[in-house]
Amino acid sequence: MRNIILNHYSNERAVFTFWGSFFMGKGLLVISANVLSRALLKRVGWFYVAITTPIVSIVSTHFVLTIPGLQQFSGLTGNAQFLLWVLTILLQLNFAVKYAFFDPTKEMAYIPLTDHEKTFGKTVADGIGSRVGNIGSGVLQTIAIMIASGSDFAEIAPILLSICSIVSLGWVWAMRGLSKTYKIMTEE
């Protein structure tokens, strides 16, 4: 996205204006999503609010990873301004659902645990889990680059799309399992 912005806008002022609009939109979307998630928690329950982040992230990621393939068959990416704003909205939406839907439901999952389980769970999830995720994504990108024999996004996107599809299924499966466990623990 950074390259699209730098190539699309001709001067520094236009780039700063874009980023100002981006962060203003992101802030407004996060506030709106917080209000919505609170209402949805009361209305539809923990699982549907918790699964919102994986669904939005999966759809967004799959869309971005299909762009190189779409470039070959359509004029979708011919309009850089349109593509830039679609990517901007997807990125803002991902931030919003992460902060407003995922984080609160993640913290709610700790409530029925004992103090020892909470400490251990937070250490694993926040400390080890985030680091393993960052390292794992780097390793997967490196493997995709090695398989595709290139470092251009268009070359590695199909491989990343396949990997992302497998990880996405695992994420949804894990959320279903966590939901069942959470429901059992909160009913006790």
Side-chain angles (χ1 to χ4, degrees), residues 158-169:
I159 297 163
L160 291 176
L161 183 61
S162 300
I163 294 169
C164 182
S165 297
I166 294 166
V167 170
S168 297
L169 291 172

Side-chain angles (χ1 to χ4, degrees), residues 47-112:
F47 174 74
Y48 293 103
V49 174
I51 199 73
T52 302
T53 301
I55 290 170
V56 169
S57 296
I58 290 165
V59 170
S60 299
T61 303
H62 280 74
F63 175 77
V64 170
L65 291 174
T66 57
I67 289 173
L70 294 173
Q71 280 179 318
Q72 297 172 356
F73 302 110
S74 72
L76 172 70
T77 58
N79 186 346
Q81 179 75 23
F82 172 74
L83 183 60
L84 178 61
W85 283 106
V86 168
L87 293 174
T88 299
I89 291 167
L90 289 175
L91 188 56
Q92 290 170 332
L93 190 59
N94 274 282
F95 277 116
V97 297
K98 193 262 186 219
Y99 292 120
F101 290 74
F102 183 76
D103 287 350
T105 55
K106 179 184 78 166
E107 295 303 320
M108 287 173 67
Y110 294 118
I111 292 171

